[in-house]
Amino acid sequence: MELYHLRTFVTVAEEQHLTRASERLFTSQPAISAHIKALEEELGVTLFERTPRGMQLTPAGALLLDRARQALAAAGDFLQHARSIKDELIGTLRIGLNTDACFLRLLELQGGLSERHPRLEIEFHAGSTGANIPALRVGKLDASFVSGECDDPLLESYVLCEEELAVAVPERMRESIGPADIHALARHPWVFTSPDCAYYGVMRALFEAHDCAPVKTVMANQDDALRTMVAGGVGLGILRRVDIEEAAKSAPIYALPLELPTVSLRFAHLRTRANDPVIRAAVAELSRVWSLALPVQEQAV
Amino acid sequence: MELYHLRTFVTVAEEQHLTRASERLFTSQPAISAHIKALEEELGVTLFERTPRGMQLTPAGALLLDRARQALAAAGDFLQHARSIKDELIGTLRIGLNTDACFLRLLELQGGLSERHPRLEIEFHAGSTGANIPALRVGKLDASFVSGECDDPLLESYVLCEEELAVAVPERMRESIGPADIHALARHPWVFTSPDCAYYGVMRALFEAHDCAPVKTVMANQDDALRTMVAGGVGLGILRRVDIEEAAKSAPIYALPLELPTVSLRFAHLRTRANDPVIRAAVAELSRVWSLALPVQEQAV
DNA sequence: ACGACGCCATCACAATTCCTGAACGCTCGA
DNA sequence: TCGAGCGTTCAGGAATTGTGATGGCGTCGT
């Protein structure tokens, strides 16, 4: 039994007429006749009484008509539901984070994505640049914010902004620091990040240029934690200048007037997934939030 | 879209494997592959992710799987329901009555039919032999009790019993009747039936044999009514002897000791419907109730 | 690192099914 | 009595579906 048997059954029951039913079903009358006959033989039930005026449902046929309609309706539901999610993004978008939500404008990103793709579940995974890139490569993340250069050939990335960095100093060390002398700074304790963080590279470059190395004390792989350490007087650290200045209002911390290289905030994903609708949706939303003109991607496939 | 698409979809989703699914569905792996492909193209939705280990549902596919199962279940319900009523008698059996329910053993007939064919609706239509035969011919009745000969070539009939008739006389006329003299009887008023009733034939034959005709007063086409008329003193009438004797216990009526010809009680239906399952069920039940050995009907298709 | 294995997609061809158009039997109404 | 309308049947043709072999791709074990 196939759906066309049921469709024919219901149509003939409604029209009480093979010829009219065949017209409604855009086929020939013998075909309709064969459908009914095949269905009756498979069921072992006579569905219609053949009269000179047409086809009239038998009591058994009338009993079965409703069930046939229900089956057709269920199949129709399936189709309709499929059509309704045809152009919808379904699934989960896992985004890696490398710094605080506010700076990454997560609220706007989430709001835009959820509005445009209500069936797309979004997961933000806290992490760091160094942890997120391998996670991208093994598929634990779909996309990620990263800082610094992104020369991995497997990854596509978009620059969102340049992060201006500065050396954050605890207030209690203000007098012992004095003017910004690199060699003097190196002798103070530092709160540092893991080597795979872009800030680490900035810090290392700063001292290597002057042939010295900082005294390391504590590692904090999250800039919120790092800032807290600095404010607590544990040592110096590298943070975004705007963050330091913001924190200075309520914490014993200030930014050294030392010029540091900037670092790019990027959004990265696997190149192989560049045409994945979920990735494209994420990039498109990101380009809105960050006012980029980037997503001029070719409409592949 | 046809049911086999859905069946394949669900099976592949369950097996997560085209080859295993094809084995479960007793077909080849390329066929399964084609089903899935066709379904995906019709829906515009990718249902599976092809992995080196097999087929894995996409989120959209998972969303649709339930609906597909529901559609299949609905179709299965249809089939199962059809099978369950396959050998059941469905519909209405309209039986014409020509006399009282007790004499026709209707209660037993109804009980047996309802027990054996719970979905068969039974209608008893009060009438008379004369009215029931045309009703049979035009299809207003499926079967009918009739009295008398049944020489209609369109009708098949079974003799259930012989009705012994007698002349019913009101008590108040007992003295004026005296011995059973036909000529004398003819001069009394008669409650008669319509000419198409078998009793009418008996009455006419009785008088024609003696070259006289009765005085007619009232027609009563139902023997209950006729008996009531006789008991009320309206005139003489022909009834079953057993009925008169039964009525004599509580009504001013008695049976003349005059021998009358018997009349056959029959059960009749259209010959063309001899193999109609409903008719056969009725005849079969009737033969039980009346202990007949009649229904030795050929098991024609 | 390399070969073997398992999976799915594809292809050309065979088998089946499905549909078509015409003819037939039947009933009803004119 | 005849014609119109309806469903059934039939043979032939068209379309769909299924088959077996092949190939690409990835993984796993050695």
Short mmCIF file of all heavy atoms in Angstrom, two decimals, chain A residues 3 6-7 9-15 24 57 61-77, chain B residues 71 74-75 78:
data_model
loop_
_atom_site.label_atom_id
_atom_site.label_comp_id
_atom_site.label_asym_id
_atom_site.label_seq_id
_atom_site.Cartn_x
_atom_site.Cartn_y
_atom_site.Cartn_z
N LEU A 3 0.86 5.75 -0.57
CA LEU A 3 0.00 6.91 -0.31
C LEU A 3 -0.96 7.17 -1.46
O LEU A 3 -2.09 7.63 -1.24
CB LEU A 3 0.86 8.15 -0.07
CG LEU A 3 1.48 8.23 1.33
CD1 LEU A 3 2.35 9.45 1.44
CD2 LEU A 3 0.38 8.28 2.37
N LEU A 6 -4.25 5.63 -1.01
CA LEU A 6 -5.11 6.34 -0.06
C LEU A 6 -5.67 7.63 -0.67
O LEU A 6 -6.84 7.96 -0.49
CB LEU A 6 -4.34 6.66 1.22
CG LEU A 6 -3.84 5.43 1.99
CD1 LEU A 6 -3.11 5.86 3.25
CD2 LEU A 6 -5.00 4.53 2.34
N ARG A 7 -4.80 8.33 -1.37
CA ARG A 7 -5.27 9.56 -2.02
C ARG A 7 -6.42 9.26 -2.97
O ARG A 7 -7.44 9.95 -2.99
CB ARG A 7 -4.11 10.22 -2.78
CG ARG A 7 -3.18 11.02 -1.91
CD ARG A 7 -2.20 11.83 -2.74
NE ARG A 7 -1.07 11.04 -3.21
CZ ARG A 7 0.11 10.97 -2.61
NH1 ARG A 7 0.32 11.68 -1.53
NH2 ARG A 7 1.08 10.23 -3.09
N PHE A 9 -8.38 6.62 -2.93
CA PHE A 9 -9.53 6.16 -2.15
C PHE A 9 -10.35 7.36 -1.65
O PHE A 9 -11.57 7.44 -1.85
CB PHE A 9 -9.04 5.30 -0.99
CG PHE A 9 -10.08 4.95 0.01
CD1 PHE A 9 -11.38 4.64 -0.37
CD2 PHE A 9 -9.77 4.91 1.37
CE1 PHE A 9 -12.35 4.30 0.57
CE2 PHE A 9 -10.72 4.57 2.31
CZ PHE A 9 -12.01 4.28 1.91
N VAL A 10 -9.67 8.28 -1.02
CA VAL A 10 -10.38 9.43 -0.44
C VAL A 10 -11.04 10.26 -1.54
O VAL A 10 -12.19 10.69 -1.41
CB VAL A 10 -9.41 10.29 0.39
CG1 VAL A 10 -10.06 11.59 0.81
CG2 VAL A 10 -8.95 9.49 1.61
N THR A 11 -10.31 10.46 -2.62
CA THR A 11 -10.87 11.29 -3.69
C THR A 11 -12.10 10.63 -4.31
O THR A 11 -13.12 11.29 -4.54
CB THR A 11 -9.81 11.53 -4.78
OG1 THR A 11 -8.63 12.05 -4.17
CG2 THR A 11 -10.32 12.51 -5.80
N VAL A 12 -12.02 9.35 -4.56
CA VAL A 12 -13.17 8.67 -5.14
C VAL A 12 -14.34 8.68 -4.15
O VAL A 12 -15.49 8.88 -4.55
CB VAL A 12 -12.79 7.22 -5.53
CG1 VAL A 12 -14.04 6.45 -5.92
CG2 VAL A 12 -11.79 7.22 -6.65
N ALA A 13 -14.03 8.52 -2.89
CA ALA A 13 -15.10 8.56 -1.89
C ALA A 13 -15.78 9.93 -1.90
O ALA A 13 -17.00 10.03 -1.75
CB ALA A 13 -14.54 8.26 -0.51
N GLU A 14 -14.99 10.96 -2.11
CA GLU A 14 -15.57 12.30 -2.11
C GLU A 14 -16.35 12.58 -3.39
O GLU A 14 -17.42 13.20 -3.36
CB GLU A 14 -14.46 13.34 -1.92
CG GLU A 14 -13.95 13.41 -0.50
CD GLU A 14 -12.69 14.24 -0.37
OE1 GLU A 14 -12.19 14.73 -1.40
OE2 GLU A 14 -12.20 14.37 0.76
N GLU A 15 -15.80 12.12 -4.51
CA GLU A 15 -16.47 12.41 -5.78
C GLU A 15 -17.56 11.40 -6.09
O GLU A 15 -18.45 11.68 -6.90
CB GLU A 15 -15.43 12.40 -6.91
CG GLU A 15 -14.40 13.51 -6.81
CD GLU A 15 -15.01 14.87 -7.10
OE1 GLU A 15 -16.16 14.93 -7.58
OE2 GLU A 15 -14.34 15.88 -6.80
N ARG A 24 -9.57 15.10 -10.99
CA ARG A 24 -8.99 15.81 -9.85
C ARG A 24 -7.56 15.36 -9.58
O ARG A 24 -6.75 16.12 -9.06
CB ARG A 24 -9.83 15.56 -8.60
CG ARG A 24 -10.72 16.73 -8.24
CD ARG A 24 -11.54 16.46 -6.99
NE ARG A 24 -10.75 16.18 -5.80
CZ ARG A 24 -11.29 15.86 -4.62
NH1 ARG A 24 -12.60 15.80 -4.50
NH2 ARG A 24 -10.53 15.61 -3.58
N LEU A 57 -19.68 4.38 -1.43
CA LEU A 57 -18.97 3.75 -0.31
C LEU A 57 -19.81 2.64 0.31
O LEU A 57 -21.01 2.82 0.54
CB LEU A 57 -18.68 4.79 0.77
CG LEU A 57 -17.37 5.56 0.68
CD1 LEU A 57 -17.30 6.56 1.83
CD2 LEU A 57 -16.19 4.63 0.72
N GLY A 61 -16.25 0.74 3.80
CA GLY A 61 -15.48 1.82 3.22
C GLY A 61 -15.64 3.11 4.00
O GLY A 61 -14.68 3.83 4.24
N ALA A 62 -16.87 3.37 4.41
CA ALA A 62 -17.12 4.59 5.18
C ALA A 62 -16.37 4.54 6.50
O ALA A 62 -15.84 5.55 6.96
CB ALA A 62 -18.63 4.74 5.42
N LEU A 63 -16.30 3.35 7.07
CA LEU A 63 -15.59 3.20 8.34
C LEU A 63 -14.11 3.47 8.16
O LEU A 63 -13.44 4.00 9.05
CB LEU A 63 -15.79 1.77 8.85
CG LEU A 63 -16.30 1.60 10.26
CD1 LEU A 63 -17.68 2.22 10.37
CD2 LEU A 63 -16.36 0.14 10.63
N LEU A 64 -13.58 3.10 7.01
CA LEU A 64 -12.14 3.23 6.78
C LEU A 64 -11.76 4.61 6.25
O LEU A 64 -10.60 5.01 6.33
CB LEU A 64 -11.68 2.16 5.79
CG LEU A 64 -11.68 0.75 6.35
CD1 LEU A 64 -11.43 -0.27 5.27
CD2 LEU A 64 -10.62 0.65 7.44
N LEU A 65 -12.75 5.32 5.72
CA LEU A 65 -12.43 6.60 5.08
C LEU A 65 -11.74 7.55 6.04
O LEU A 65 -10.75 8.20 5.70
CB LEU A 65 -13.73 7.22 4.54
CG LEU A 65 -13.57 8.56 3.84
CD1 LEU A 65 -12.59 8.45 2.68
CD2 LEU A 65 -14.91 9.07 3.34
N ASP A 66 -12.25 7.62 7.25
CA ASP A 66 -11.64 8.53 8.22
C ASP A 66 -10.19 8.18 8.49
O ASP A 66 -9.33 9.06 8.54
CB ASP A 66 -12.43 8.47 9.54
CG ASP A 66 -13.51 9.53 9.57
OD1 ASP A 66 -13.45 10.44 8.72
OD2 ASP A 66 -14.40 9.45 10.42
N ARG A 67 -9.93 6.90 8.64
CA ARG A 67 -8.55 6.49 8.90
C ARG A 67 -7.66 6.83 7.72
O ARG A 67 -6.49 7.20 7.90
CB ARG A 67 -8.49 4.99 9.17
CG ARG A 67 -9.39 4.54 10.25
CD ARG A 67 -8.62 4.16 11.46
NE ARG A 67 -9.51 3.85 12.56
CZ ARG A 67 -9.12 3.38 13.72
NH1 ARG A 67 -7.84 3.19 13.93
NH2 ARG A 67 -9.98 3.13 14.67
N ALA A 68 -8.18 6.67 6.54
CA ALA A 68 -7.38 7.01 5.36
C ALA A 68 -7.07 8.50 5.37
O ALA A 68 -5.94 8.92 5.10
CB ALA A 68 -8.12 6.62 4.10
N ARG A 69 -8.07 9.29 5.70
CA ARG A 69 -7.84 10.73 5.77
C ARG A 69 -6.79 11.06 6.81
O ARG A 69 -5.92 11.92 6.60
CB ARG A 69 -9.15 11.45 6.11
CG ARG A 69 -10.12 11.55 4.95
CD ARG A 69 -10.98 12.81 5.09
NE ARG A 69 -11.91 12.95 3.97
CZ ARG A 69 -13.14 12.49 3.99
NH1 ARG A 69 -13.61 11.88 5.07
NH2 ARG A 69 -13.93 12.66 2.95
N GLN A 70 -6.87 10.38 7.94
CA GLN A 70 -5.89 10.64 8.99
C GLN A 70 -4.48 10.30 8.52
O GLN A 70 -3.53 11.04 8.78
CB GLN A 70 -6.23 9.83 10.24
CG GLN A 70 -7.40 10.39 11.01
CD GLN A 70 -7.87 9.44 12.10
OE1 GLN A 70 -7.12 8.58 12.56
NE2 GLN A 70 -9.11 9.59 12.53
N ALA A 71 -4.36 9.19 7.83
CA ALA A 71 -3.04 8.81 7.34
C ALA A 71 -2.52 9.85 6.36
O ALA A 71 -1.35 10.25 6.42
CB ALA A 71 -3.10 7.42 6.70
N LEU A 72 -3.39 10.29 5.47
CA LEU A 72 -2.96 11.31 4.51
C LEU A 72 -2.59 12.61 5.22
O LEU A 72 -1.62 13.27 4.86
CB LEU A 72 -4.07 11.57 3.49
CG LEU A 72 -4.23 10.49 2.43
CD1 LEU A 72 -5.40 10.81 1.52
CD2 LEU A 72 -2.95 10.38 1.62
N ALA A 73 -3.37 12.94 6.22
CA ALA A 73 -3.09 14.17 6.95
C ALA A 73 -1.74 14.07 7.65
O ALA A 73 -0.97 15.04 7.69
CB ALA A 73 -4.20 14.46 7.95
N ALA A 74 -1.45 12.91 8.19
CA ALA A 74 -0.16 12.74 8.87
C ALA A 74 0.98 12.88 7.89
O ALA A 74 1.99 13.52 8.19
CB ALA A 74 -0.12 11.37 9.55
N ALA A 75 0.81 12.31 6.71
CA ALA A 75 1.86 12.46 5.69
C ALA A 75 1.97 13.93 5.28
O ALA A 75 3.07 14.44 5.08
CB ALA A 75 1.54 11.59 4.49
N GLY A 76 0.83 14.59 5.18
CA GLY A 76 0.85 16.00 4.84
C GLY A 76 1.55 16.83 5.90
O GLY A 76 2.31 17.75 5.58
N ASP A 77 1.30 16.48 7.15
CA ASP A 77 1.98 17.17 8.24
C ASP A 77 3.49 17.05 8.10
O ASP A 77 4.22 18.02 8.29
CB ASP A 77 1.57 16.55 9.58
CG ASP A 77 0.33 17.23 10.14
OD1 ASP A 77 -0.17 18.16 9.47
OD2 ASP A 77 -0.11 16.84 11.23
N ALA B 71 3.27 9.44 10.56
CA ALA B 71 2.60 9.19 9.29
C ALA B 71 2.54 7.70 9.01
O ALA B 71 1.50 7.17 8.59
CB ALA B 71 3.31 9.94 8.16
N ALA B 74 0.00 6.08 11.19
CA ALA B 74 -1.36 6.34 10.74
C ALA B 74 -1.73 5.42 9.58
O ALA B 74 -2.84 4.87 9.52
CB ALA B 74 -1.51 7.81 10.33
N ALA B 75 -0.79 5.24 8.68
CA ALA B 75 -1.05 4.32 7.57
C ALA B 75 -1.20 2.89 8.10
O ALA B 75 -2.05 2.13 7.62
CB ALA B 75 0.09 4.40 6.55
N PHE B 78 -4.58 2.40 9.51
CA PHE B 78 -5.55 2.18 8.44
C PHE B 78 -5.55 0.71 8.03
O PHE B 78 -6.60 0.07 7.97
CB PHE B 78 -5.19 3.07 7.25
CG PHE B 78 -6.02 2.82 6.03
CD1 PHE B 78 -7.28 3.35 5.92
CD2 PHE B 78 -5.53 2.04 5.01
CE1 PHE B 78 -8.06 3.12 4.79
CE2 PHE B 78 -6.29 1.79 3.87
CZ PHE B 78 -7.55 2.34 3.78
#
